[in-house]
C-alpha cells in the first residue's frame, strides 16, 4: 500500500482521479488532514475541518464489470464497521457501530462515516475505482441541519482514536473482504456479515425513488447488494443503491 498524505487538498477523491490519470497503482491511498472541497453523495459537500477527522480515498483496479463497482462501497462499509466494532468491544463501548444501507456508518442513531465511490472508465471497462471515506473521529460542532443526524467517535465513546491506526486497520480489513468479494464477484459470502451489521434490518423504512416514496420493511441485502423490502400489501421488491435511498420512519435510521 502506498499512502500520499496531504495537509490540505480540495478533495481526496479528486486527487485520486488525478493520480489515476497518471497511472497510480492498485491500493494507492490519498489521505488529507483537511479538504477545501470535500464531496458527499448526491452532490452534497462533506465538511472537512482540520485536525480531528480521517479523510482518505483508496484506489483499486479490480477486474470486474462497471455495474458491480458500487458493491465495493458496501465492501468498504463492512471493513470500516468491522474495525469500529472491534474497537468498541475492546473499549467496552455500549453503542455499537451499524450500517445504514447502503453505506453510512452510524452510532447511536447518528452518522459517523460516509463513503463516496467514483469510477474511472477506459473503453467502457473499469480503469479504477476510487473509494472515498470520511470518518468523524474527534469532537466537533455540526451545523444546525446536521446536529440530529451526525456525530463523532469521541462524543459517542469518550475516546480520541488514532487516525493512523484507524486507516491501517481499515485497509487491512478492506483487503480481506475485497478478496472474498472478488472470488465470486458478488456479496454471496459477505451478505450474512453485512446483514448482521445492518441497522435497517427488520425496520420500517421510507424508500425515496426519483418517481416517489413508499414504505416497507427492510429485511437485508441479497448477493447483489440490493436491499430487500417487504411491502405492506404483501408484495416485495429489491432496491438498488444507485437509484434510491432509504430513510427511517422515526428519524435518520
Ligand atoms: C456521504 O455523503 O456520505 C459520502 C461522504 C464521503 C466523504 C469522503 S471524505 C474523503 C473523500 N473525499 C471526498 O471529497 N469525499 C470522500
Amino acid at each position: 500500500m502506498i499512502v500520499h498524505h496531504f495537509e490540505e487538498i480540495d478533495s481526496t477523491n479528486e486527487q485520486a482521479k488525478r493520480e489515476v490519470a497518471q497511472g497510480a497503482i492498485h491500493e494507492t491511498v490519498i489521505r488529507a488532514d483537511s479538504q477545501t472541497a470535500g464531496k458527499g453523495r448526491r452532490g452534497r459537500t462533506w465538511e472537512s475541518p482540520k485536525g480531528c477527522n480521517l479523510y482518505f480515498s483508496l484506489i483499486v483496479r479490480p477486474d470486474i464489470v462497471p455495474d458491480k463497482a458500487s458493491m465495493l462501497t458496501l465492501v468498504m462499509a463492512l471493513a470500516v464497521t468491522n474495525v469500529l466494532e472491534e474497537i468498541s468491544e475492546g473499549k467496552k463501548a455500549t453503542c455499537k457501530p451499524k450500517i445504514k444501507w447502503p453505506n453510512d456508518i452510524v452510532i447511536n442513531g447518528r452518522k459517523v462515516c460516509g463513503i463516496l465511490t467514483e469510477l474511472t472508465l477506459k473503453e467502457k471497462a473499469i480503469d479504477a475505482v476510487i473509494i472515498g471515506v470520511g470518518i468523524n473521529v474527534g469532537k466537533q460542532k455540526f451545523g444546525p441541519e446536521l446536529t440530529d443526524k451526525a456525530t463523532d467517535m469521541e462524543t459517542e465513546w469518550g475516546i480520541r482514536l488514532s487516525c493512523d491506526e484507524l486507516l491501517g486497520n481499515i485497509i487491512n480489513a478492506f483487503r480481506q473482504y475485497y478478496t472474498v468479494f472478488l472470488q465470486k464477484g458478488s456479496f454471496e459470502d459477505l451478505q450474512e456479515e453485512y446483514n448482521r451489521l445492518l441497522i435497517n434490518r427488520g425496520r420500517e423504512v421510507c424508500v425515496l425513488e426519483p418517481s416517489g416514496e413508499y414504505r416497507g420493511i427492510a429485511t437485508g441485502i441479497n448477493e447483489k447488494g440490493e436491499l430487500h423490502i417487504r411491502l405492506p400489501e404483501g408484495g416485495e421488491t429489491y432496491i438498488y443503491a444507485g437509484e434510491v435511498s432509504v430513510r427511517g420512519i422515526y428519524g435518520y435510521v
Side-chain angles (χ1 to χ4, degrees), residues 37-87:
K39 300 190 300 178
R41 291 176 74 210
R42 299 172 193 280
R44 297 194 189 105
T45 54
W46 186 258
E47 294 296 324
S48 309
K50 187 181 163 66
C52 45
N53 297 326
L54 180 59
Y55 316 107
F56 73 91
S57 301
L58 171 66
I59 298 169
V60 287
R61 294 193 181 264
D63 188 10
I64 53 172
V65 293
D67 280 358
K68 292 192 174 178
S70 66
M71 280 195 243
L72 291 174
T73 321
L74 277 67
V75 174
M76 182 57 91
L78 254 187
V80 174
T81 313
N82 200 276
V83 166
L84 296 182
E85 186 182 52
E86 249 172 49
I87 297 171

Side-chain angles (χ1 to χ4, degrees), residues 11 35-48 100 102-104 111 114-116 118 145-146 149 208 244-247 252:
S11 148
Q35 300 182 112
T36 52
K39 300 190 300 178
R41 291 176 74 210
R42 299 172 193 280
R44 297 194 189 105
T45 54
W46 186 258
E47 294 296 324
S48 309
K100 174 183 175 283
N103 52 5
D104 286 351
K111 177 164 166 174
I115 303 173
L116 174 69
E118 297 185 86
E145 75 290 357
L146 285 181
K149 292 188 190 150
L208 310 170
V244 297
S245 61
V246 297
R247 197 178 58 209
Y252 171 60

